[in-house]
Amino acid sequence: MSESFDPARWRPAAFLPEQDARDPALIFAIAVLCFLACLTALGVIAGDRAAHGWAGQLTGEATVIVRARGGETPDAAAARAAETLAGVKGVSEARALEKEKAYDLIRPWLGDVSDLEDLPVPRLVAVSLDRKQPATAAGLRQALKAQGLDAVVDDHQIWIKDIRQAAGVVRWTGAALFLLIALAAAAVVAFATRAGLAARRDVVEVLHLTGAEDGQIANLFELRFARIAAISGAFGATAAALAGGLLRLVGGGQGITPALPIAWLDLLAVLPCPLLAAIVAAVAARLTARRLIQDL
Amino acid sequence: MRYGRGPDVLSDISLSLPRGSFHFITGPSGAGKSSLLKLIYLAARPSAGTVRLFGEDVAGMTARDLPRARRRIGVVFQDLLLLDHLSAFDNAALPLRIAGHKPSEYRGDVAELLTWVGLGGRMHARPPTLAGGEKQRLAIARAVVNRPEILLADEPTGNVDHEMALRIYRLFVELNRLGTTVIIATHDQDLVARSARPVLHLDKGRLKPLPPQGPTT
Ligand SMILES: Nc1ncnc2c1ncn2[C@@H]1O[C@H](COP(=O)(O)OP(=O)(O)O)[C@@H](O)[C@H]1O
Ligand SMILES: [Mg+2]
């Protein structure tokens, strides 16, 4: 205890005891919340990408069902429809499918009928649309009608709408979860601030009586909890990135399943976590500390 | 004044301490010496009556005014209120840090002051490892480090030997000579007698001025 003390090398110590900043329970709780928030973010990103992929595939194509009319054979009608459609602006390719394809589609209902040739089975024309300026279903319908073809155009809009809707639900659910987790983190920090103030009432009293402003004291708690949250956030984010990476590896090139494709780049989404956690904690600690100090 | 819903611990007190004066407050334990000091260092408010500090009614002070007034007052608390997790040096430097001074401005002064009160070799020590008298001297160093306009000391010589008590007293006299208003609550009759300073004698919460210099009401 008698080693010399050099005032020139003295650095001001923290007003609040350092050991309070190493509360493992608090660090664990915030880290878990950050982990969950990061997983939510990764889930939303992957879900969004999946929805985009599906919607993109569906937007690029349309299916036209052609029924023969008058004396025309189904094959001839299909061929004429394909030709007509190929000429429409916004269509990059139109191809009449072989009749077997059409049979395959109806076989589940009719059973293995040997003499399908006799049935007036409608034919299908697969249409690939121009990606940039896709033709509308109405445009296709009009062109077919002009040629006197009896046809039904399905541009998959109904599916696309469903997918968009599902993607929207995923996004909003994700946002709500995220908000909920942030609020939970804020509540945890508010609780910890209250406990910290109660445990260090003596320190707060001395600072007060020595002329510290409420804001100065609140600052101590704000900085302390921002730092704890940043560290906890780094733990949680790292864990979430590891979990995401694991899913990616297990799922192979396409992610866990093509349904939830996680890209390596997506893992970067966890990076802002420590900062966000610190901001949430700082605000929560500041508000709590200010209110409690005022009541002292 | 009173604590909570308790009885009045001070009543009928009317006094005015001019700037630059030096007073002792004496009286038996429980007479209200500490309570009177609390009114002055703004740790308590009177339940009736007014307290004026630096020419300003304390009741009119806002939450912003209080810290500014407190920074002009140095206090040696009866129970010292040292921060156990900080070194003696950090404890002594506390008022300067709170007032927003830079370490480079006050490092030397703090070291000098600690040496002067006999803690030169204990600057890194934490209060729990200090002896009673050392703690008391540290609390005194903290109270005077910011050159306060008013110095309030509540039993500042309770735990130190006679020689150190005189030394501390001389420090207070020196500060007073430089313009600080000094008020010392004490039991130390010897010190009071030797100093020939005005005495405010409290008994059961009432003021009974005693010689040598009579009341300064
Ligand atoms: N924090 C407190 N809460 C309630 N009563 C108190 C408190 N502090 C002091 N008292 C009471 O106020 C009276 C005066 O105490 P105090 O001012 O400490 O006297 P002194 O310093 O002269 O010994 C005593 O009766 C004491 O019991
Ligand atoms: Mg007392």
Side-chain angles (χ1 to χ4, degrees):
Chain A
M1 275 309 213
S2 57
E3 79 264 32
S4 70
F5 178 89
D6 181 4
R9 299 231 310 271
W10 170 79
R11 295 275 171 283
F15 282 141
L16 296 173
E18 274 301 330
Q19 73 259 23
D20 293 6
R22 289 190 284 269
D23 183 352
L26 180 61
I27 292 174
F28 177 74
I30 300 180
V32 167
L33 288 172
C34 289
F35 174 72
L36 293 176
C38 287
L39 281 192
T40 306
L42 289 179
V44 167
I45 290 171
D48 228 43
R49 163 155 330 102
H52 257 99
W54 296 332
Q57 275 167 21
L58 289 175
T59 325
E61 46 193 51
T63 313
V64 176
I65 303 166
V66 185
R67 278 183 293 257
R69 212 162 31 191
E72 209 172 19
T73 65
D75 286 332
R80 205 151 61 78
E83 203 177 315
T84 307
L85 290 168
V88 175
K89 193 158 173 284
V91 172
S92 54
E93 196 193 344
R95 194 162 47 85
L97 298 181
E98 303 82 48
K99 62 183 175 204
E100 282 72 26
K101 281 251 167 94
Y103 292 158
D104 285 347
L105 285 175
I106 58 171
R107 211 184 303 280
W109 284 276
L110 297 182
D112 205 359
V113 190
S114 53
D115 232 1
L116 276 177
E117 298 288 341
D118 294 345
L119 287 169
V121 174
R123 290 297 142 81
L124 298 177
V125 178
V127 182
S128 299
L129 300 175
D130 186 18
R131 293 253 156 209
K132 292 207 182 93
Q133 279 183 301
T136 61
L140 298 181
R141 254 177 231 124
Q142 210 170 10
L144 291 166
K145 203 171 166 193
Q147 294 299 319
L149 284 158
D150 178 12
V152 178
V153 177
D154 174 9
D155 64 350
H156 307 157
Q157 265 318 314
I158 221 162
W159 305 112
I160 291 170
K161 224 173 98 191
D162 277 0
I163 290 169
R164 292 239 162 89
Q165 217 159 32
V169 169
V170 167
R171 252 199 309 269
W172 283 109
T173 310
L177 274 178
F178 207 86
L179 197 70
L180 214 59
I181 293 170
L183 287 176
V188 168
V189 170
F191 196 77
T193 304
R194 196 183 309 252
L197 257 163
R200 297 300 166 187
R201 231 196 140 100
D202 51 341
V203 178
V204 172
E205 189 193 4
V206 171
L207 295 177
H208 244 156
L209 292 177
T210 316
E213 289 160 6
D214 291 355
Q216 275 177 299
I217 297 173
N219 241 335
L220 299 176
F221 287 92
E222 181 184 336
L223 287 176
R224 160 133 314 168
F225 285 109
R227 212 179 69 195
I228 293 176
I231 293 167
S232 310
F235 281 131
T238 308
L242 288 177
L246 200 68
L247 291 180
R248 170 70 216 251
L249 283 178
V250 169
Q254 292 298 306
I256 27 171
T257 65
L260 213 57
I262 294 177
W264 289 115
L265 265 182
D266 294 350
L267 300 182
L268 292 181
V270 307
L271 280 182
C273 179
L275 182 67
L276 285 178
I279 292 173
V280 168
V283 171
R286 175 157 208 97
L287 294 179
T288 312
R290 279 222 93 130
R291 213 188 45 223
L292 293 178
I293 291 168
Q294 252 160 34
D295 294 346
L296 278 184
Chain B
M1 75 165 273
R2 53 173 80 116
Y3 292 94
R5 291 162 179 275
D8 281 338
V9 299
L10 291 174
S11 48
D12 270 343
I13 306 260
S14 175
L15 64 118
S16 158
L17 307 176
R19 234 168 245 258
S21 61
F22 193 127
H23 285 81
F24 282 106
I25 302 177
T26 59
S29 182
K33 302 184 294 296
S34 299
S35 303
L36 181 56
L37 292 182
K38 277 183 199 166
L39 286 177
I40 305 175
Y41 64 74
L42 303 170
R45 293 196 178 228
S47 42
T50 56
V51 176
R52 295 181 71 82
L53 195 65
F54 304 119
E56 207 181 327
D57 186 350
V58 166
M61 287 189 179
T62 65
R64 278 175 194 287
D65 299 331
L66 289 175
R68 269 195 282 124
R70 282 178 181 141
R71 286 176 194 183
R72 298 163 71 183
I73 305 171
V75 187
V76 184
F77 303 98
Q78 183 162 15
D79 32 14
L80 306 184
L81 300 184
L82 297 170
L83 297 184
D84 286 348
H85 63 282
L86 295 181
S87 66
F89 196 94
D90 274 291
N91 266 289
L94 191 78
L96 296 161
R97 277 180 72 187
I98 287 175
H101 296 292
K102 288 199 198 72
S104 56
E105 294 168 5
Y106 58 73
R107 267 199 188 107
D109 295 348
V110 173
E112 199 178 311
L113 178 61
L114 284 173
T115 307
W116 196 89
V117 297
L119 292 174
R122 308 288 279 146
M123 291 196 241
H124 60 276
R126 283 163 211 280
T129 68
L130 293 175
E134 288 177 320
K135 282 190 222 177
Q136 196 130 38
R137 283 178 271 149
L138 177 55
I140 290 164
R142 184 182 64 186
V144 304
V145 74
N146 205 13
R147 291 178 202 208
E149 289 165 56
I150 300 178
L151 177 71
L152 306 173
D154 201 347
E155 317 269 6
T157 54
N159 277 313
V160 297
D161 58 39
H162 192 65
E163 199 181 321
M164 184 46 80
L166 278 183
R167 215 174 137 144
I168 288 167
Y169 171 67
R170 279 200 296 272
L171 169 65
F172 293 162
V173 169
E174 177 66 12
L175 282 167
N176 179 243
R177 206 177 53 77
L178 294 171
T180 299
T181 309
V182 178
I183 305 164
I184 304 172
T186 186
H187 276 120
D188 191 341
Q189 286 305 328
D190 189 46
L191 192 63
V192 176
R194 183 191 278 259
S195 71
R197 298 282 181 171
V199 174
L200 302 160
H201 187 74
L202 276 177
D203 194 11
K204 299 197 185 78
R206 287 173 188 268
L207 201 54
K208 308 224 168 101
L210 287 184
Q213 291 191 3
T216 52
T217 306

